[in-house]
């Protein structure tokens, strides 16, 4: 189980982008682009859950569009809106 001491917040997920599961990601730290880690962590119902990155692309200096594995629709992506993202 992942604990608070093992992670640090790097941003949050804003809202779905389009209909194929992309999610707008506002980041405070671009370590996910600099480090070799295939996943990001979200806190859901008090539990840290890793989600594997399928692809991402930068939208600006502080935002990116990210797609997680198995999140392939706007409805699935909507459930991630507002979640904090950790590394």
């Amino acid at each position: 189980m992942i604990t608070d001491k093992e992670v640090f917040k790097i941003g949050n997920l804003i809202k779905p982008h389009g209909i194929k599961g992309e999610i707008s990601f506002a980041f405070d730290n671009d370590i996910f682009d600099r480090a070799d880690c295939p996943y990001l962590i979200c806190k859901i119902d008090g539990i840290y859950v890793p989600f594997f990155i399928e692809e991402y692309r930068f939208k600006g200096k502080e935002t990116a569009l990210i797609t997680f594995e198995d999140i392939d629709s706007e409805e699935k992506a909507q459930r991630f809106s507002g979640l904090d993202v950790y590394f």
Side-chain angles (χ1 to χ4, degrees):
M1 185 152 108
I2 302 168
T3 66
D4 288 337
K5 294 178 183 178
E6 297 174 296
V7 297
F8 63 93
K9 184 179 172 189
I10 61 168
N12 64 333
L13 299 174
I14 307 297
K15 63 179 182 175
H17 178 82
I19 60 171
K20 295 184 180 182
E22 273 189 315
I23 306 167
S24 296
F25 171 40
F27 53 87
D28 304 324
N29 187 319
D30 67 346
I31 193 166
F32 73 97
D33 186 44
R34 294 182 284 129
D36 187 24
C37 187
Y39 60 87
L40 293 176
I41 298 167
C42 293
K43 192 172 189 178
I44 300 175
D45 296 330
I47 299 171
Y48 292 107
V49 181
F51 289 93
F52 286 87
I53 300 168
E54 189 170 288
E55 66 180 327
Y56 69 91
R57 58 193 166 103
F58 289 101
K59 186 177 177 184
K61 287 186 176 185
E62 297 176 350
T63 58
L65 299 175
I66 192 164
T67 304
F68 293 116
E69 286 183 5
D70 300 323
I71 307 301
D72 56 4
S73 70
E74 182 179 5
E75 293 78 25
K76 289 180 182 178
Q78 184 65 43
R79 292 182 269 180
F80 288 83
S81 294
L83 293 180
D84 289 334
V85 178
Y86 300 85
F87 188 79

